[in-house]
Amino acid sequence: MAETAKEIDRDKLLDIYTRTMKVNRTDEKFRELLMQGKVAVMYYCVRGQELVSAAAMAALEDDDYVVCTYRGQGEQTAKGIPIKKWWGECLGKATGTCKGKGGTMHITDPDTGIMVTTGVVGSGIPIANGLAMASQNNGDGRVTLVSFGDGAANIGGFHEAMNMAQLYKLPVVFLCQNNRYGEHTAFADHTDSPNIGERAAGYGMKGITVDGNDVNQIYPAMEEAVAHARRGKGPVLVEAMCYRMMGHFFGSDFSYMPEEHLAEMKAEDPLPKLRKVMLERQFTEEELDKIVADIDAEIDEAVQHALDAPLPDTDEIYKDVLEETA
């Protein structure tokens, strides 16, 4: 894996911390609502992967494009989807980003650059190439980032998209969040290569594998990857090693994970590590706690707003299917 890079600017570090905690507190609230029976929807927890998403989104510009998976809460909230619209969509309400018709697995919000959330493993990878090609053709300077898991790196679309992106030098960053499990299958049981980042060399592409639990590795790697793509130098594959600290989906257990993996996962928790870095950089406990308290208050307000919001009208089933002309 990459060595620790240069020190991150203090303001940027605070930005990453804020985004990370927003992702974490959103995840905690969602699981709380599910356990209380207040909502009944499909949800894929992001606990353990918060820092990867936050650092990646902090490296992008506001108008850059993002394609994410059903485990995309991290990218969606860290990129800045308005929180009331996000919760409205997750709860299937008319106030949501897609008027409640997409739900947790199909959240889309072009205004903040979240172009597609896919429910099919790896299906967003070639879509990202299409967005990047449009940006290249339009000369708009945007970079597209597509996030996916280690399991998705073995589908045909991954290889086709990597080859095409490098061939045309598309401004796209492929972010593989390698949480070491493809659903319930350990990485070593579905892939014999030591990592995914090295595959980039087979396409002549720049690739790197970094510790996604270390802010001083993941953010500089993302910053450089995005800059590389934006300069017209072509795509980059970034593999962020991380842990999925919950089951594959809410309600599933860890029975298939060995004890040593669980112990390693607990020891590598990115949140205490990030807080330690913040304190070393002279942020106070009070400052950090206030950020979390403010985020919690914002989330509570947004959740109540979503719970009180109306469901979509039945007529909505006929809308947003075909282009409507005057």
Side-chain angles (χ1 to χ4, degrees):
M1 281 191 281
E3 297 296 324
T4 300
K6 65 180 181 180
E7 190 172 75
I8 301 169
D9 173 82
R10 199 167 183 272
D11 289 340
K12 178 58 70 173
L13 189 61
L14 182 61
D15 176 41
I16 296 169
Y17 176 81
T18 302
R19 293 179 198 242
T20 300
M21 296 316 299
K22 185 175 181 181
V23 175
N24 173 254
R25 301 310 294 170
T26 298
D27 186 69
E28 294 281 347
K29 174 57 72 172
F30 216 129
R31 286 187 279 115
E32 175 187 308
L33 293 170
L34 287 165
M35 287 186 287
Q36 292 175 343
K38 292 184 177 180
V39 299
V41 298
M42 197 68 184
Y43 180 62
Y44 293 85
C45 306
V46 300
R47 180 70 186 92
Q49 298 177 224
E50 301 98 331
L51 177 58
V52 176
S53 298
M57 297 304 101
L60 296 175
E61 298 294 337
D62 290 344
D63 63 348
D64 284 336
Y65 294 143
V66 174
V67 178
C68 52
T69 72
Y70 47 82
R71 199 184 308 281
Q73 184 267 106
E75 290 79 60
Q76 294 154 12
T77 54
K79 187 67 161 66
I81 291 182
I83 189 168
K84 289 182 180 179
K85 291 176 65 178
W86 187 85
W87 278 103
E89 189 59 38
C90 289
L91 273 57
K93 299 301 182 72
T95 54
T97 58
C98 301
K99 307 176 190 175
K101 295 185 285 186
T104 57
M105 294 180 67
H106 300 288
I107 288 179
T108 301
D109 189 48
D111 289 344
T112 49
I114 300 294
M115 306 306 289
V116 182
T117 297
T118 64
V120 178
V121 173
S123 61
I125 304 174
I127 293 173
N129 274 1
L131 290 165
M133 182 168 281
S135 291
Q136 188 181 70
N137 291 340
N138 294 334
D140 61 24
R142 288 187 173 99
V143 169
T144 296
L145 182 146
V146 56
S147 176
F148 53 94
D150 51 288
N154 288 332
I155 71 165
F158 168 85
H159 301 284
E160 293 161 4
M162 294 274 285
N163 183 65
M164 178 183 177
Q166 179 61 20
L167 180 65
Y168 293 107
K169 302 299 184 290
L170 298 180
V172 59
V173 175
F174 299 100
L175 173 59
C176 177
Q177 299 196 36
N178 188 343
N179 62 25
R180 297 167 166 85
Y181 272 85
E183 294 194 5
H184 301 83
T185 305
F187 180 73
D189 292 333
H190 68 71
T191 301
D192 199 37
S193 56
N195 60 57
I196 291 167
E198 291 180 353
R199 295 186 188 180
Y203 308 97
M205 185 188 302
K206 182 176 181 178
I208 185 172
T209 298
V210 297
D211 183 354
N213 303 308
D214 181 352
V215 68
N216 288 313
Q217 280 202 33
I218 182 60
Y219 177 72
M222 294 308 309
E223 182 183 38
E224 173 53 31
V226 170
H228 181 91
R230 202 183 306 281
R231 288 194 300 265
K233 300 295 185 180
V236 181
L237 171 62
V238 178
E239 178 185 23
M241 302 304 296
C242 53
Y243 292 89
R244 190 190 72 212
M245 300 180 73
M246 290 286 164
H248 173 57
F249 55 85
F250 178 81
S252 61
D253 62 16
F254 297 123
S255 59
Y256 49 90
M257 293 185 179
E259 289 297 325
E260 55 269 26
H261 176 82
L262 296 176
E264 180 181 288
M265 179 171 68
K266 185 176 181 180
E268 293 296 317
D269 189 337
L271 298 188
K273 287 188 168 189
L274 178 58
R275 191 172 180 98
K276 182 175 183 290
V277 170
M278 299 299 289
L279 295 173
E280 289 172 348
R281 294 293 298 277
Q282 305 306 307
F283 290 98
T284 67
E285 295 276 8
E286 292 74 20
E287 286 177 294
L288 301 181
D289 289 344
K290 185 178 188 306
I291 289 170
V292 175
D294 289 345
I295 290 171
D296 284 345
E298 184 182 19
I299 291 173
D300 287 343
E301 181 182 353
V303 168
Q304 192 58 53
H305 183 270
L307 290 171
D308 295 339
L311 293 168
D313 291 335
T314 53
D315 286 349
E316 280 292 338
I317 196 171
Y318 303 108
K319 299 178 181 178
D320 305 314
V321 178
L322 301 174
E323 182 181 6
E324 297 180 13
T325 58

